[in-house]
Amino acid sequence: MGERRSLSKGITVTQAALPGLTLCNNAMLRRATRKLGQFYDDMLAPSGLKATQQGLLYQILIGDEPAMGAIAAALIMDLSALGHTLKPLIRDGYVETFADKDDRRVKRVRLTPQGLIKLDEAMKLWSLAQQRFEAMVGKDEAARLRAALDDIAALDFDMPPAAPSK
Amino acid sequence: MGERRSLSKGITVTQAALPGLTLCNNAMLRRATRKLGQFYDDMLAPSGLKATQQGLLYQILIGDEPAMGAIAAALIMDLSALGHTLKPLIRDGYVETFADKDDRRVKRVRLTPQGLIKLDEAMKLWSLAQQRFEAMVGKDEAARLRAALDDIAALDFDMPPAAPSK
DNA sequence: TTCATTTAGTGGCATATGCCACTTTTTGGG
DNA sequence: CCCAAAAAGTGGCATATGCCACTAAATGAA
């Protein structure tokens, strides 16, 4: 009666008994991200920007010539990852960087005029995507979801499982 | 008073008036995914697997020697992306593929004995991560979140904004 | 049967992200 | 003032994901 698969100390369970990945918070989050990402990317396609790039340009716009570290922190993104992601945007002339006047370690970022124009174009498409999405799930539900996601982003996972005590 | 940034047809707004990216459903989803991904990855680190890999191995386990297309569909992932993601797991001997008996186009996937052992090891760590996360946000809230994410994953974004009519 | 079409994957190319080892600056004590 | 430690980025390497063009195999209609 049905395949058996071991799963932890010799225990064997019938396949039907294994819960889907629907139980993993992380897997579900990733899956939804892929799905929604495809939608936003499709909607933004006419601008030539990916949703991630549009989001990054916007983050740069609202920051006041933000330092890379500041952007990375705001997006909860690895600093080096940010650096990599920024390259295509610099290459395409949408963004430029410059050293901070007081601290030469700090590299600040700003949009170029073309970057501003491109972002402007992308924001209109983003707005449509946002509207279509919220029309489907409901504005309230969307807001609730964003709030929940913001809470997760704010969690503090510090200390290892076992508290070092004392 | 304050920087000004154009944002759409010559309109200029003061920086403070620009809402953060907190309003973009997609950006928030990505941000939370990065955050939670780091946590699950950290927790799984002792196993040498990334959370994505653990999730993929699990998906393969619960499928009955699933075809690549079936896995991709279940994870809402591009078929070629799945192929790429599978490579390191095949290289490390956790997974193996074989052609379907009746349809030689179809490539099926299964865990190797080592893959099963490794997954077993990873699932224990995953369980801890899951527990810690749910202890922080609450089991109910986590379940609600997963449900919301599942709804998003099930959305049908088909038809382009403007209905092609007749 | 035969061929156009559809289906399932592959490979190449590009972006998205992370970690780690390093380099350059700053900072904070001695 | 000098040097060890901290802070901010960079580069290299690896995985995560997608899109597109292409190949092989299966299907269906003529």
Side-chain angles (χ1 to χ4, degrees):
Chain A
M1 61 172 349
E3 316 287 314
R4 284 171 176 291
R5 289 167 173 62
S6 83
L7 190 62
S8 192
K9 33 184 149 155
I11 291 181
T12 295
V13 292
T14 54
Q15 187 188 337
L18 290 173
L21 77 174
T22 314
L23 283 178
C24 180
N25 303 292
N26 187 51
M28 290 300 279
L29 199 44
R30 273 184 174 286
R31 200 167 70 122
T33 295
R34 282 191 291 270
K35 175 83 174 196
L36 200 58
Q38 281 172 21
F39 173 61
Y40 275 77
D41 276 352
D42 284 347
M43 294 291 283
L44 283 174
S47 74
L49 291 180
K50 305 293 221 56
T52 47
Q53 301 181 312
Q54 172 266 323
L56 179 50
L57 290 185
Y58 185 70
Q59 187 62 39
I60 293 172
L61 173 76
I62 64 177
D64 188 43
E65 302 193 331
M68 291 194 55
I71 299 174
L75 300 182
I76 308 184
M77 161 179 274
D78 183 88
L79 181 56
S80 75
L82 172 62
H84 300 151
T85 303
L86 228 34
K87 276 172 191 166
L89 295 172
I90 294 175
R91 177 202 58 198
D92 297 337
Y94 299 143
V95 158
E96 55 189 12
T97 60
F98 58 100
D100 181 277
K101 299 293 179 289
D102 307 310
D103 188 334
R104 273 177 301 177
R105 286 173 306 179
V106 176
K107 192 201 277 188
R108 292 184 175 285
V109 187
R110 73 163 84 93
L111 299 184
T112 62
Q114 308 152 58
L116 194 52
I117 292 173
K118 179 56 72 176
L119 174 57
D120 200 71
E121 177 190 351
M123 289 306 284
K124 290 169 188 155
L125 297 170
W126 168 81
S127 190
L128 289 179
Q130 190 82 350
Q131 280 173 44
R132 277 187 62 191
F133 173 73
E134 304 203 337
M136 279 192 271
V137 304
K139 268 192 172 306
D140 292 349
E141 173 61 13
R144 248 193 308 278
L145 175 65
R146 289 198 306 274
L149 294 173
D150 200 33
D151 287 344
I152 289 181
L155 288 178
D156 178 19
F157 293 115
D158 276 345
M159 69 238 90
S165 74
K166 178 67 131 339
Chain B
M1 59 174 349
E3 316 288 313
R4 284 171 176 291
R5 290 168 173 60
S6 83
L7 190 62
S8 190
K9 34 183 148 157
I11 291 180
T12 296
V13 293
T14 54
Q15 186 188 337
L18 291 173
L21 76 173
T22 314
L23 283 178
C24 181
N25 302 292
N26 187 50
M28 290 301 278
L29 200 45
R30 274 185 173 286
R31 199 167 70 124
T33 295
R34 282 191 292 269
K35 176 83 174 196
L36 201 57
Q38 282 173 20
F39 173 60
Y40 275 77
D41 276 352
D42 284 347
M43 295 291 284
L44 283 174
S47 74
L49 290 180
K50 306 292 222 57
T52 48
Q53 303 182 310
Q54 172 268 323
L56 179 50
L57 291 185
Y58 185 70
Q59 187 63 39
I60 293 172
L61 173 75
I62 64 177
D64 187 43
E65 301 193 331
M68 291 194 55
I71 300 174
L75 299 182
I76 308 183
M77 162 179 272
D78 184 89
L79 180 57
S80 75
L82 171 62
H84 300 151
T85 302
L86 228 35
K87 276 174 189 164
L89 295 173
I90 294 175
R91 178 201 59 199
D92 297 338
Y94 298 144
V95 159
E96 55 189 12
T97 61
F98 58 101
D100 181 277
K101 298 293 179 289
D102 307 311
D103 189 333
R104 275 176 299 177
R105 285 174 308 178
V106 175
K107 191 199 278 187
R108 293 184 176 285
V109 188
R110 72 163 85 94
L111 299 184
T112 62
Q114 310 152 57
L116 193 52
I117 292 173
K118 179 56 72 177
L119 175 57
D120 200 72
E121 177 189 350
M123 288 306 285
K124 291 169 187 155
L125 297 170
W126 168 81
S127 190
L128 290 179
Q130 190 82 350
Q131 280 172 42
R132 276 188 63 192
F133 174 73
E134 303 203 338
M136 279 192 271
V137 304
K139 270 192 171 307
D140 292 348
E141 172 61 12
R144 247 193 309 279
L145 175 65
R146 287 198 306 275
L149 295 172
D150 200 32
D151 287 344
I152 289 180
L155 288 178
D156 178 18
F157 292 115
D158 276 345
M159 70 238 86
S165 74
K166 179 61 121 1

